[in-house]
Amino acid sequence: MKLKKRAKRILVFILLIAIVVLGFLAYDNFFGEKEVKEAKVLSEIKGYGYKLKDNKPAAYKKMFEELKAILEADKVDEEAYVKKISEMFVYDFYSLKDKVSKTDIGGVDFVYGGVLENFLQNAQNTYYKYVENNIYNNRKQTLPVVSNIEIGEVTKEAFNYGEKSDEQAYIVNVKWSYTDSSFSDYQKEAKLVFIHDGKKLSLVELQ
């Protein structure tokens, strides 16, 4: 009888340890703090405020280096400049796969400060609305990635935005596709309006 009681006590003790261990693991999994890697700046274009972070895809990093070459030339080719930032904006804004959450809006480096708040709000309520959180890199959601960007007609004309006006604003027509055909019904073309903002060109309207 004593042996049976002792065996039962040992079994209960083992079960209690197992419950404690499993409880700890469950708590750590759901509530414990996990390390979130902070993006680091790899490159910067001084005088323009453009920064390249290490969490950007390889395609975007290549575009950034091309933009840097354009802007660091002895004489800046303004049309090449506006074409490149149009390409970068479309890629960064409409590609959602690399975004951490619905508040991680792409293309903001190229948006005019006076419209930025409205731009962010609209993006979160529309195109980015259903992007799931991926702060711990465990998202299963399938999201679009832009490919084959085609810069079409580029024109210059007067443009007014509130008290801001530009007689030589750039109107850029862009078309693109996605790497996955399941996103073929997503937006695939747009008209971008850029105005002179000091030495920069900044996006004020997306149609």
Side-chain angles (χ1 to χ4, degrees):
M1 293 295 290
K2 289 183 178 180
L3 290 174
K4 287 184 177 180
K5 288 181 179 179
R6 187 177 181 183
K8 286 181 179 179
R9 288 174 182 172
I10 292 172
L11 181 60
V12 169
F13 181 71
I14 292 172
L15 287 172
L16 285 173
I17 291 176
I19 290 170
V20 170
V21 171
L22 289 172
F24 175 79
L25 292 174
Y27 179 87
D28 185 63
N29 185 53
F30 290 101
F31 302 104
E33 291 186 4
K34 299 180 181 179
E35 184 179 354
V36 180
K37 185 180 178 183
E38 187 176 344
K40 295 181 180 179
V41 176
L42 298 177
S43 184
E44 183 177 357
I45 305 176
K46 294 182 178 179
Y48 291 86
Y50 301 135
K51 295 180 180 180
L52 176 65
K53 295 185 177 180
D54 64 354
N55 59 352
K56 290 298 183 184
Y60 186 86
K61 290 176 179 176
K62 181 175 183 293
M63 294 178 204
F64 187 91
E65 292 307 318
E66 291 168 347
L67 175 63
K68 190 173 185 179
I70 292 170
L71 297 179
E72 292 183 350
D74 292 336
K75 184 177 181 180
V76 175
D77 182 337
E78 202 168 71
E79 185 167 326
Y81 171 24
V82 78
K83 286 181 177 180
K84 183 54 60 178
I85 60 175
S86 295
E87 179 184 14
M88 293 172 74
F89 172 82
V90 165
Y91 183 87
D92 198 26
F93 182 78
Y94 290 100
S95 293
L96 299 180
K97 186 177 180 179
D98 65 308
K99 304 305 184 291
V100 176
S101 68
K102 70 175 185 178
T103 60
D104 183 18
I105 311 300
V108 295
D109 284 353
F110 310 109
V111 178
Y112 178 59
V115 302
L116 183 56
E117 184 177 349
N118 186 56
F119 171 80
L120 292 173
Q121 185 175 6
N122 285 338
Q124 290 178 38
N125 292 334
T126 55
Y127 191 66
Y128 282 71
K129 185 174 183 177
Y130 299 106
V131 176
E132 296 174 1
N133 192 302
N134 195 36
I135 193 169
Y136 298 125
N137 199 33
N138 57 359
R139 181 172 60 203
K140 304 299 182 183
Q141 185 181 24
T142 302
L143 294 168
V145 177
V146 170
S147 66
N148 301 320
I149 302 170
E150 179 185 339
I151 304 297
E153 184 181 19
V154 178
T155 58
K156 294 174 76 173
E157 57 186 72
F159 184 85
N160 296 314
Y161 177 78
E163 297 181 356
K164 187 76 174 178
S165 63
D166 189 345
E167 295 300 315
Q168 296 290 312
Y170 282 93
I171 315 298
V172 185
N173 292 279
V174 190
K175 292 183 179 180
W176 63 92
S177 58
Y178 296 93
T179 57
D180 190 329
S181 60
S182 63
F183 299 104
S184 59
D185 59 341
Y186 277 44
Q187 183 176 351
K188 297 189 289 292
E189 60 181 272
K191 180 180 290 186
L192 313 180
V193 181
F194 292 88
I195 60 171
H196 291 84
D197 182 20
K199 63 192 294 186
K200 293 176 62 175
L201 289 171
S202 295
L203 180 69
V204 289
E205 192 168 294
L206 170 62
Q207 303 174 1

